[in-house]
């Protein structure tokens, strides 16, 4: 089960957060700070999975942006790890060369996230679906 | 090479909220999806203005101006068109995202929902999702709009509505549409994208509140819908596995189609040449909700799939890209989890182990981590334990060389899991070596693991003692109380290691700087067993004392208190140290110590040593009796450390019982003491006293009924097993009186003349403290006039995994037939627990054995010749008839055994006096075994009629 999904930059600013369990707003900030702290402190030699309290963080870094997915212990780490990449590839196609700032405001990002996770198709296919969902984009 | 790799100018610190625009870019670019001519120029200008503001104040001013403008537009007489409404709502949303409160505009947003234009509807839903509040009137309107969209048959609108429900995810909304969403999901005419959204929406709702959804059939639909449906079914399966059993065969056939397909088949769902990796993972996970399929054909097909996945792992990769191998490995790891879950196919388990073995040396850290983690579960399967053990050297190497602490921790976990008697010494010594350099974060856990392994696999206890002392030496700060208590318990219980332990701690204490925990262990062991090494002049009593005392002043209060106890024990063990130690105790720093505990000990010990005679001192300071065997408290601590109690990061304030997913499960619901029924208990209790005995039984019965009716969940624990446990105590004084899933009660008792002392040990087998734990002794009927039992003080709290001792003083006033009852009440996890046990105190405990010659015996036997003075019983043997065992039981019963009295050497003859405060009862007994008939005849003669009969009953049940 995915608990939450975060996009946080190196300065610790949250660019996108999606929670799939209820978390109070003030606790979210704390959680996000701690999560990014534990990601930043890791080197590239370390594995991409962190045990954090009673769940696992799976993260990937793209330039200055960390994408972190919090899951419970029944989730397949490798599948999530690769899912993050699939998601980023889709974003890249969607925005044609995606940047951190595309992510900051544009609500379609979470749409793309859901499409990617829902369909889990290849990047091209997700893109087609994402665009289908958005008739104005044609 | 995505655009994210481009270096971006760091953003100024002023804005903490998301910046809406890209610096230097056309502001309209924030909405590239908006078609031309619909660009909301006003919004673009506003955003651009905000971005150009030089200060926070300017920004606020601009925002206030805009808010006033929007308010006047909304309040104006002129009806706004959809476009303007959308634009203003968008501005409000933007202002809200900048971190300002918005208190109007909700109505306009709700109006947008009923627009027929996609962009207007979308902005409306966006606003609702972000800014929904519990304004009941609005919710009604919103729900109405959603209902219309769900019924619209326009797939885009239906999706928007479904997404909104999922995003808001409130209970009210879920309930309002509980019927609509499943209908959309299973309707034949719904479009796939809508079905998908419906499935995910249900999944979202079911994880926030317990959705009672009608059973779903696995749609034989396109891949995307299946993926969404599988998530939903997996979630529902966990709640009601039986309702979804049919999905097993569907999942297997779907999986088999994917696994055996060529990489070109499922093109849209192929990720770097791997067909449908995420769906495969989900299907494999779904199967883990169930045991292996019962249908042989389905099972065969599934095993084939699993084998195919394992085979594919050995094939050369179809692509050099890391994405390819990652996706492939995701499936492989999930396959291995399923194989471990089934734990029934030795061949597959060993193959899985070999595959993981390859990953242990892989250059990707992620794979090494996951391989160690999976292997840990493989180690616990009997089929693959040996296969896992072959990788020991690689794992030890990982422990030494891995650069990532989390990987090292996995390696330590795996070593712990693969440890058995054959490799314990190697693993423990490697872990000890690792401990010297281990990360602080995992030291305590390693210490606990080493302590457990050393105890569990110790063949020779001197190795165990060495290991624990090494632990203290290397990582003293991380050695918790449980660990050093445990070593003391083991040394106390095993006399073969006591001398060695004393010698070793003595040597360890010689180190100039030794850890305080070492002083504690040393102080205790030398106090108990220092005499065993006192013969050696290098460790003579004065040397031992001055060594300990040299550490005294550097220690904490608790340790100093322990050392003071050691000193008084020294006075008993080594009278030659008395003067020195009394000098120490008498010193002002002790007698007038600011700490009450230390002061009290000093005063009391000093007085004890000067007032008490050697005999009294020897009795008071007798060697500690052995500790009762029970589950290691260290193990309990390790479980606690790993357990769910660790505290959840996400919203620990939440009390909703449905939300236990993120907490990793709840504590198991406590079950009350299992007993058939109260009436059965009564029978069980009545079995003990003789049926014709005077008033006590009926009185006891009445009182017990009262006990039962008292309290809501009073479920006393006097089942047959409790009765058996009670009977076992007739001939012995120590043992376990009661045990269930929560609690263990151990007993040690000693009796002298008409007095007795009983130590009750309450062991909490759970990981949480028992609340209001209060044992009381009940004397049914007028038993109080026959026997008195009382405890001197209150009981310490019974913490999770801990054991608490209670002392009970007993005085026998006159002969009695029924035992006092021990009633234990406490709360566990909120549920009241209650049990009533018979205290193992029977009249024979107050026996004084009496030796006498044959002549005397026969004389007394004749004196007790009245018919009511004799009780006789002929009974069948329940146990093998072994003379030695019988002898031990009779001695345990309390009487003396007299040889050469009975002309038949097969027979047993005993004599003794029962001591009560009021009177003494002389007893003679004769037991005649008949090995051929497997029968016994037991004859009791006492000076008091009920006593004869009672003793006869008690003793007859022992053979």
């Amino acid at each position: 089960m995915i608990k939450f999904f975060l996009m946080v930059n190196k300065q610790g600013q949250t660019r996108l957060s999606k929670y799939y369990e209820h978390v109070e707003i003030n606790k979210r900030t704390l959680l996000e700070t701690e999560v990014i702290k534990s990601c930043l402190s890791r080197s590239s030699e370390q594995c991409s999975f962190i045990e954090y309290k009673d769940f696992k963080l799976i993260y990937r870094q793209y330039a200055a942006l960390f994408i972190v997915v919090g899951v419970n212990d029944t989730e397949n780490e490798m599948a999530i790890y690769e899912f993050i990449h699939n998601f980023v590839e889709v974003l890249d196609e969607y925005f044609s060369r995606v940047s951190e700032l595309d992510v900051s405001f544009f609500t379609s990002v979470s749409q793309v996230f859901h499409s990617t996770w829902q369909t889990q198709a290849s990047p091209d296919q997700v893109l087609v679906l994402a665009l289908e969902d958005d008739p104005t984009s044609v | 090479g995505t655009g994210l790799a481009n270096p971006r100018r760091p953003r100024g610190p002023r804005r903490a909220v998301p910046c809406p625009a890209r610096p230097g870019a056309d502001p309209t670019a924030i909405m590239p999806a908006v078609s031309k001519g619909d660009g909301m120029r006003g919004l673009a200008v506003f955003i651009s203005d905000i971005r150009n503001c030089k200060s926070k104040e300017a920004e606020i001013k601009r925002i206030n101006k805009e808010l006033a403008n929007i308010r006047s537009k909304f309040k104006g007489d002129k009806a706004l068109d959809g476009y303007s409404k959308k634009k203003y709502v968008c501005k409000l949303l933007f202002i809200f995202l900048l971190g300002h409160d918005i208190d109007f505009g909700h109505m306009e947003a709700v109006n947008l929902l009923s627009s027929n234009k996609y962009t207007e509807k979308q902005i409306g839903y966006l606003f609702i999702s972000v800014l929904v509040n519990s304004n009941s009137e609005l919710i009604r309107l919103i729900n109405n709009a959603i209902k219309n969209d769900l019924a619209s048959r326009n797939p885009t609108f239906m999706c928007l509505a479904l997404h909104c429900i999922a995003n808001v995810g409130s209970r009210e909304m879920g309930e309002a549409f509980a019927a609509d969403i499943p209908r959309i999901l299973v309707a034949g005419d719904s479009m796939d994208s809508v079905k998908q959204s419906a499935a995910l929406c249900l999944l979202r709702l079911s994880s926030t509140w317990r959705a009672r959804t009608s059973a779903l059939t696995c749609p034989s639909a396109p891949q995307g819908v299946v993926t969404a449906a599988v998530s939903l079914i997996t979630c529902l399966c966990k709640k009601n596995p039986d309702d979804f059993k049919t999905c097993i065969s569907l999942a297997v056939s779907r999986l088999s189609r994917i696994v055996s397909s060529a990489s070109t088949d499922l093109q849209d769902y192929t990720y770097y040449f791997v067909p449908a990796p995420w769906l495969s993972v989900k299907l494999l996970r779904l199967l883990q909700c169930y045991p292996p399929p019962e249908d042989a054909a389905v099972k065969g097909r599934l095993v084939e799939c699993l084998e195919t996945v394992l085979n594919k792992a050995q094939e050369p990769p179809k692509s050099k890209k890391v994405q390819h191998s990652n996706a492939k490995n995701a499936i492989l790891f999930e396959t291995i989890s399923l194989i471990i879950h089934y734990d029934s196919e030795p061949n597959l388990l060993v193959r899985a182990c070999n595959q993981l073995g390859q990953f242990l040396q892989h250059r990707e850290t992620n794979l090494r981590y996951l391989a160690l983690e999976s292997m840990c579960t493989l180690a616990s399967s009997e089929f693959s334990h040996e296969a896992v053990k072959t990788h020991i050297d690689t794992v030890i190497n990982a422990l030494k060389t891995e650069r990532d602490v989390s990987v090292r921790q996995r390696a330590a976990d795996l070593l712990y899991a693969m440890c058995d008697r054959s490799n314990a010494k190697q693993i423990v010594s490697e872990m000890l070596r690792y401990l010297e350099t281990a990360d602080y974060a995992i030291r305590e856990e390693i210490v606990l693991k080493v302590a457990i392994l050393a105890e569990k696999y110790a063949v020779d206890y001197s190795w165990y003692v060495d290991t624990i002392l090494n632990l203290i030496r290397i990582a003293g700060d991380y050695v918790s109380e449980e660990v050093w208590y445990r070593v003391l318990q083991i040394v106390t219980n095993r006399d073969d290691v006591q001398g060695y332990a004393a010698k070793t701690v003595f040597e360890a204490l010689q180190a100039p700087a030794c850890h305080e925990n070492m002083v504690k262990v040393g102080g205790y062991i030398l106090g108990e067993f220092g005499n065993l090494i006192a013969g050696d002049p290098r460790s003579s009593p004065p040397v031992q004392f001055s060594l300990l005392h040299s550490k005294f002043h550097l220690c904490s209060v608790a340790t100093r208190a322990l050392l003071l106890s050691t000193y008084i024990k020294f006075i008993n063990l080594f009278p030659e140290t008395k003067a020195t130690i009394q000098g120490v105790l008498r010193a002002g720093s002790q007698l007038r110590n600011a700490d009450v505990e230390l002061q009290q000990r000093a005063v009391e010990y000093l007085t004890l040593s000067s007032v008490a005679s050697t005999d009294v001192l020897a009795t008071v300071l007798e060697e500690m009796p052995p500790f009762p065997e029970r589950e290691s408290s260290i193990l309990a601590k390790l479980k606690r450390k790993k357990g769910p109690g660790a505290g959840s990061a996400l919203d620990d304030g939440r009390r909703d019982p449905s939300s236990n997913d993120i907490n990793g499960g709840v504590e198991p619901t406590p079950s009350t003491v299992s007993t058939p029924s109260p009436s059965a208990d009564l029978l069980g209790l009545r079995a003990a006293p003789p049926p014709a005995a005077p008033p006590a039984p009926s009185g006891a019965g009445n009182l017990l009924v009262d006990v039962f009716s008292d309290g809501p969940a009073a479920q006393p624990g006097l089942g047959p097993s409790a009765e058996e446990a009670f009977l076992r105590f007739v001939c012995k004084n120590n043992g376990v009186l009661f045990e269930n899933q929560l609690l263990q009660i151990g007993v040690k008792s000693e009796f002298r003349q008409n007095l007795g002392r009983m130590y009750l040990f309450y062991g909490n087998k759970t990981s949480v403290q028992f609340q209001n734990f209060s044992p009381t002794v009940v004397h049914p009927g007028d038993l109080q006039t026959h026997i008195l039992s009382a405890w001197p003080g209150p009981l310490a709290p019974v913490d999770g995994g801990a054991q608490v001792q209670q002392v009970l003083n007993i005085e026998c006033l006159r002969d009695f037939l029924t035992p006092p009852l021990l009633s234990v009440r406490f709360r566990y996890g909120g549920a009241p627990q209650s049990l009533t046990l018979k205290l193992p105190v029977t009249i024979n405990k107050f026996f004084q054995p009496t030796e006498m010659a044959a002549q005397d015996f026969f004389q007394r036997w004749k004196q007790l010749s009245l018919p009511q003075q004799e009780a006789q019983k002929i009974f069948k043997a329940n146990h093998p008839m072994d003379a030695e065992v019988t002898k031990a039981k009779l001695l345990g019963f309390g009487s003396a055994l007299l040889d050469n009295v009975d002309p038949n050497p097969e027979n047993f003859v005993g004599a003794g006096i029962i001591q009560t405060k009021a009177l003494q009862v002389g007893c003679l007994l004769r037991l005649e075994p008949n090995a051929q008939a497997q029968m016994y005849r037991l004859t009791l003669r006492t000076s008091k009629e009920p006593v004869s009969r009672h003793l006869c009953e008690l003793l007859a049940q022992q053979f």
Side-chain angles (χ1 to χ4, degrees), chain B residues 750-761:
Chain B
E750 50 197 25
F751 296 90
R752 190 173 291 178
Q753 308 232 322
N754 71 323
L755 299 177
R757 175 166 297 171
M758 183 174 285
Y759 298 88
L760 290 160
F761 299 91

mmCIF file with all atom_site columns, all heavy atoms in Angstrom, chain B residues 750-761:
data_model
loop_
_atom_site.group_PDB
_atom_site.id
_atom_site.type_symbol
_atom_site.label_atom_id
_atom_site.label_alt_id
_atom_site.label_comp_id
_atom_site.label_asym_id
_atom_site.label_entity_id
_atom_site.label_seq_id
_atom_site.pdbx_PDB_ins_code
_atom_site.Cartn_x
_atom_site.Cartn_y
_atom_site.Cartn_z
_atom_site.occupancy
_atom_site.B_iso_or_equiv
_atom_site.pdbx_formal_charge
_atom_site.auth_seq_id
_atom_site.auth_comp_id
_atom_site.auth_asym_id
_atom_site.auth_atom_id
_atom_site.pdbx_PDB_model_num
ATOM 1   N N   . GLU B 1 750 ? 8.332  -22.446 50.660 1.00 0.00 ? 750 GLU B N   1
ATOM 2   C CA  . GLU B 1 750 ? 9.045  -23.214 51.667 1.00 0.00 ? 750 GLU B CA  1
ATOM 3   C C   . GLU B 1 750 ? 8.201  -23.201 52.939 1.00 0.00 ? 750 GLU B C   1
ATOM 4   O O   . GLU B 1 750 ? 7.496  -22.241 53.238 1.00 0.00 ? 750 GLU B O   1
ATOM 5   C CB  . GLU B 1 750 ? 10.436 -22.616 51.903 1.00 0.00 ? 750 GLU B CB  1
ATOM 6   C CG  . GLU B 1 750 ? 10.414 -21.127 52.155 1.00 0.00 ? 750 GLU B CG  1
ATOM 7   C CD  . GLU B 1 750 ? 11.795 -20.494 51.976 1.00 0.00 ? 750 GLU B CD  1
ATOM 8   O OE1 . GLU B 1 750 ? 12.608 -21.058 51.237 1.00 0.00 ? 750 GLU B OE1 1
ATOM 9   O OE2 . GLU B 1 750 ? 12.034 -19.447 52.596 1.00 0.00 ? 750 GLU B OE2 1
ATOM 10  N N   . PHE B 1 751 ? 8.281  -24.306 53.648 1.00 0.00 ? 751 PHE B N   1
ATOM 11  C CA  . PHE B 1 751 ? 7.447  -24.438 54.843 1.00 0.00 ? 751 PHE B CA  1
ATOM 12  C C   . PHE B 1 751 ? 8.318  -24.929 55.985 1.00 0.00 ? 751 PHE B C   1
ATOM 13  O O   . PHE B 1 751 ? 9.206  -25.763 55.798 1.00 0.00 ? 751 PHE B O   1
ATOM 14  C CB  . PHE B 1 751 ? 6.303  -25.436 54.577 1.00 0.00 ? 751 PHE B CB  1
ATOM 15  C CG  . PHE B 1 751 ? 5.350  -24.964 53.519 1.00 0.00 ? 751 PHE B CG  1
ATOM 16  C CD1 . PHE B 1 751 ? 5.564  -25.283 52.183 1.00 0.00 ? 751 PHE B CD1 1
ATOM 17  C CD2 . PHE B 1 751 ? 4.259  -24.181 53.840 1.00 0.00 ? 751 PHE B CD2 1
ATOM 18  C CE1 . PHE B 1 751 ? 4.703  -24.834 51.197 1.00 0.00 ? 751 PHE B CE1 1
ATOM 19  C CE2 . PHE B 1 751 ? 3.381  -23.734 52.862 1.00 0.00 ? 751 PHE B CE2 1
ATOM 20  C CZ  . PHE B 1 751 ? 3.604  -24.059 51.542 1.00 0.00 ? 751 PHE B CZ  1
ATOM 21  N N   . ARG B 1 752 ? 8.047  -24.389 57.135 1.00 0.00 ? 752 ARG B N   1
ATOM 22  C CA  . ARG B 1 752 ? 8.759  -24.866 58.316 1.00 0.00 ? 752 ARG B CA  1
ATOM 23  C C   . ARG B 1 752 ? 7.770  -24.837 59.474 1.00 0.00 ? 752 ARG B C   1
ATOM 24  O O   . ARG B 1 752 ? 7.128  -23.810 59.711 1.00 0.00 ? 752 ARG B O   1
ATOM 25  C CB  . ARG B 1 752 ? 9.957  -23.954 58.609 1.00 0.00 ? 752 ARG B CB  1
ATOM 26  C CG  . ARG B 1 752 ? 10.880 -24.519 59.660 1.00 0.00 ? 752 ARG B CG  1
ATOM 27  C CD  . ARG B 1 752 ? 12.125 -23.678 59.781 1.00 0.00 ? 752 ARG B CD  1
ATOM 28  N NE  . ARG B 1 752 ? 12.987 -23.797 58.588 1.00 0.00 ? 752 ARG B NE  1
ATOM 29  C CZ  . ARG B 1 752 ? 14.116 -23.107 58.460 1.00 0.00 ? 752 ARG B CZ  1
ATOM 30  N NH1 . ARG B 1 752 ? 14.500 -22.263 59.371 1.00 0.00 ? 752 ARG B NH1 1
ATOM 31  N NH2 . ARG B 1 752 ? 14.854 -23.272 57.390 1.00 0.00 ? 752 ARG B NH2 1
ATOM 32  N N   . GLN B 1 753 ? 7.636  -25.968 60.132 1.00 0.00 ? 753 GLN B N   1
ATOM 33  C CA  . GLN B 1 753 ? 6.644  -26.074 61.200 1.00 0.00 ? 753 GLN B CA  1
ATOM 34  C C   . GLN B 1 753 ? 5.283  -25.631 60.683 1.00 0.00 ? 753 GLN B C   1
ATOM 35  O O   . GLN B 1 753 ? 4.858  -26.123 59.642 1.00 0.00 ? 753 GLN B O   1
ATOM 36  C CB  . GLN B 1 753 ? 7.097  -25.237 62.396 1.00 0.00 ? 753 GLN B CB  1
ATOM 37  C CG  . GLN B 1 753 ? 8.525  -25.609 62.798 1.00 0.00 ? 753 GLN B CG  1
ATOM 38  C CD  . GLN B 1 753 ? 8.660  -25.942 64.240 1.00 0.00 ? 753 GLN B CD  1
ATOM 39  O OE1 . GLN B 1 753 ? 8.034  -25.331 65.090 1.00 0.00 ? 753 GLN B OE1 1
ATOM 40  N NE2 . GLN B 1 753 ? 9.469  -26.931 64.553 1.00 0.00 ? 753 GLN B NE2 1
ATOM 41  N N   . ASN B 1 754 ? 4.630  -24.691 61.391 1.00 0.00 ? 754 ASN B N   1
ATOM 42  C CA  . ASN B 1 754 ? 3.301  -24.311 60.914 1.00 0.00 ? 754 ASN B CA  1
ATOM 43  C C   . ASN B 1 754 ? 3.345  -23.022 60.086 1.00 0.00 ? 754 ASN B C   1
ATOM 44  O O   . ASN B 1 754 ? 2.335  -22.401 59.847 1.00 0.00 ? 754 ASN B O   1
ATOM 45  C CB  . ASN B 1 754 ? 2.327  -24.164 62.099 1.00 0.00 ? 754 ASN B CB  1
ATOM 46  C CG  . ASN B 1 754 ? 2.630  -22.937 62.922 1.00 0.00 ? 754 ASN B CG  1
ATOM 47  O OD1 . ASN B 1 754 ? 3.810  -22.611 63.082 1.00 0.00 ? 754 ASN B OD1 1
ATOM 48  N ND2 . ASN B 1 754 ? 1.607  -22.259 63.406 1.00 0.00 ? 754 ASN B ND2 1
ATOM 49  N N   . LEU B 1 755 ? 4.551  -22.642 59.661 1.00 0.00 ? 755 LEU B N   1
ATOM 50  C CA  . LEU B 1 755 ? 4.676  -21.404 58.894 1.00 0.00 ? 755 LEU B CA  1
ATOM 51  C C   . LEU B 1 755 ? 5.146  -21.707 57.484 1.00 0.00 ? 755 LEU B C   1
ATOM 52  O O   . LEU B 1 755 ? 5.851  -22.682 57.251 1.00 0.00 ? 755 LEU B O   1
ATOM 53  C CB  . LEU B 1 755 ? 5.677  -20.466 59.567 1.00 0.00 ? 755 LEU B CB  1
ATOM 54  C CG  . LEU B 1 755 ? 5.315  -20.023 60.974 1.00 0.00 ? 755 LEU B CG  1
ATOM 55  C CD1 . LEU B 1 755 ? 6.420  -19.159 61.535 1.00 0.00 ? 755 LEU B CD1 1
ATOM 56  C CD2 . LEU B 1 755 ? 3.980  -19.272 60.973 1.00 0.00 ? 755 LEU B CD2 1
ATOM 57  N N   . GLY B 1 756 ? 4.749  -20.834 56.592 1.00 0.00 ? 756 GLY B N   1
ATOM 58  C CA  . GLY B 1 756 ? 5.193  -21.027 55.221 1.00 0.00 ? 756 GLY B CA  1
ATOM 59  C C   . GLY B 1 756 ? 5.407  -19.691 54.547 1.00 0.00 ? 756 GLY B C   1
ATOM 60  O O   . GLY B 1 756 ? 4.867  -18.653 54.971 1.00 0.00 ? 756 GLY B O   1
ATOM 61  N N   . ARG B 1 757 ? 6.236  -19.716 53.533 1.00 0.00 ? 757 ARG B N   1
ATOM 62  C CA  . ARG B 1 757 ? 6.423  -18.497 52.741 1.00 0.00 ? 757 ARG B CA  1
ATOM 63  C C   . ARG B 1 757 ? 6.342  -18.917 51.285 1.00 0.00 ? 757 ARG B C   1
ATOM 64  O O   . ARG B 1 757 ? 6.981  -19.882 50.874 1.00 0.00 ? 757 ARG B O   1
ATOM 65  C CB  . ARG B 1 757 ? 7.770  -17.873 53.035 1.00 0.00 ? 757 ARG B CB  1
ATOM 66  C CG  . ARG B 1 757 ? 8.054  -16.685 52.140 1.00 0.00 ? 757 ARG B CG  1
ATOM 67  C CD  . ARG B 1 757 ? 9.204  -15.892 52.638 1.00 0.00 ? 757 ARG B CD  1
ATOM 68  N NE  . ARG B 1 757 ? 8.918  -15.324 53.953 1.00 0.00 ? 757 ARG B NE  1
ATOM 69  C CZ  . ARG B 1 757 ? 9.840  -14.721 54.695 1.00 0.00 ? 757 ARG B CZ  1
ATOM 70  N NH1 . ARG B 1 757 ? 11.083 -14.631 54.270 1.00 0.00 ? 757 ARG B NH1 1
ATOM 71  N NH2 . ARG B 1 757 ? 9.526  -14.222 55.851 1.00 0.00 ? 757 ARG B NH2 1
ATOM 72  N N   . MET B 1 758 ? 5.534  -18.185 50.548 1.00 0.00 ? 758 MET B N   1
ATOM 73  C CA  . MET B 1 758 ? 5.355  -18.547 49.144 1.00 0.00 ? 758 MET B CA  1
ATOM 74  C C   . MET B 1 758 ? 5.731  -17.345 48.282 1.00 0.00 ? 758 MET B C   1
ATOM 75  O O   . MET B 1 758 ? 5.286  -16.232 48.528 1.00 0.00 ? 758 MET B O   1
ATOM 76  C CB  . MET B 1 758 ? 3.893  -18.934 48.915 1.00 0.00 ? 758 MET B CB  1
ATOM 77  C CG  . MET B 1 758 ? 3.607  -19.401 47.503 1.00 0.00 ? 758 MET B CG  1
ATOM 78  S SD  . MET B 1 758 ? 1.934  -19.991 47.357 1.00 0.00 ? 758 MET B SD  1
ATOM 79  C CE  . MET B 1 758 ? 2.056  -21.555 48.155 1.00 0.00 ? 758 MET B CE  1
ATOM 80  N N   . TYR B 1 759 ? 6.582  -17.602 47.278 1.00 0.00 ? 759 TYR B N   1
ATOM 81  C CA  . TYR B 1 759 ? 6.932  -16.551 46.321 1.00 0.00 ? 759 TYR B CA  1
ATOM 82  C C   . TYR B 1 759 ? 6.104  -16.800 45.079 1.00 0.00 ? 759 TYR B C   1
ATOM 83  O O   . TYR B 1 759 ? 6.163  -17.883 44.496 1.00 0.00 ? 759 TYR B O   1
ATOM 84  C CB  . TYR B 1 759 ? 8.407  -16.621 45.955 1.00 0.00 ? 759 TYR B CB  1
ATOM 85  C CG  . TYR B 1 759 ? 9.313  -16.398 47.128 1.00 0.00 ? 759 TYR B CG  1
ATOM 86  C CD1 . TYR B 1 759 ? 9.706  -17.455 47.938 1.00 0.00 ? 759 TYR B CD1 1
ATOM 87  C CD2 . TYR B 1 759 ? 9.788  -15.122 47.420 1.00 0.00 ? 759 TYR B CD2 1
ATOM 88  C CE1 . TYR B 1 759 ? 10.530 -17.256 49.025 1.00 0.00 ? 759 TYR B CE1 1
ATOM 89  C CE2 . TYR B 1 759 ? 10.624 -14.912 48.499 1.00 0.00 ? 759 TYR B CE2 1
ATOM 90  C CZ  . TYR B 1 759 ? 10.985 -15.982 49.311 1.00 0.00 ? 759 TYR B CZ  1
ATOM 91  O OH  . TYR B 1 759 ? 11.809 -15.774 50.380 1.00 0.00 ? 759 TYR B OH  1
ATOM 92  N N   . LEU B 1 760 ? 5.320  -15.791 44.704 1.00 0.00 ? 760 LEU B N   1
ATOM 93  C CA  . LEU B 1 760 ? 4.537  -15.911 43.475 1.00 0.00 ? 760 LEU B CA  1
ATOM 94  C C   . LEU B 1 760 ? 5.197  -15.033 42.430 1.00 0.00 ? 760 LEU B C   1
ATOM 95  O O   . LEU B 1 760 ? 5.525  -13.877 42.681 1.00 0.00 ? 760 LEU B O   1
ATOM 96  C CB  . LEU B 1 760 ? 3.105  -15.449 43.730 1.00 0.00 ? 760 LEU B CB  1
ATOM 97  C CG  . LEU B 1 760 ? 2.293  -16.399 44.619 1.00 0.00 ? 760 LEU B CG  1
ATOM 98  C CD1 . LEU B 1 760 ? 1.109  -15.678 45.208 1.00 0.00 ? 760 LEU B CD1 1
ATOM 99  C CD2 . LEU B 1 760 ? 1.858  -17.608 43.827 1.00 0.00 ? 760 LEU B CD2 1
ATOM 100 N N   . PHE B 1 761 ? 5.438  -15.591 41.262 1.00 0.00 ? 761 PHE B N   1
ATOM 101 C CA  . PHE B 1 761 ? 6.087  -14.840 40.175 1.00 0.00 ? 761 PHE B CA  1
ATOM 102 C C   . PHE B 1 761 ? 5.062  -14.631 39.079 1.00 0.00 ? 761 PHE B C   1
ATOM 103 O O   . PHE B 1 761 ? 4.572  -15.592 38.494 1.00 0.00 ? 761 PHE B O   1
ATOM 104 C CB  . PHE B 1 761 ? 7.274  -15.618 39.634 1.00 0.00 ? 761 PHE B CB  1
ATOM 105 C CG  . PHE B 1 761 ? 8.326  -15.861 40.676 1.00 0.00 ? 761 PHE B CG  1
ATOM 106 C CD1 . PHE B 1 761 ? 8.305  -17.012 41.443 1.00 0.00 ? 761 PHE B CD1 1
ATOM 107 C CD2 . PHE B 1 761 ? 9.328  -14.935 40.894 1.00 0.00 ? 761 PHE B CD2 1
ATOM 108 C CE1 . PHE B 1 761 ? 9.257  -17.233 42.406 1.00 0.00 ? 761 PHE B CE1 1
ATOM 109 C CE2 . PHE B 1 761 ? 10.294 -15.153 41.855 1.00 0.00 ? 761 PHE B CE2 1
ATOM 110 C CZ  . PHE B 1 761 ? 10.256 -16.304 42.617 1.00 0.00 ? 761 PHE B CZ  1
#
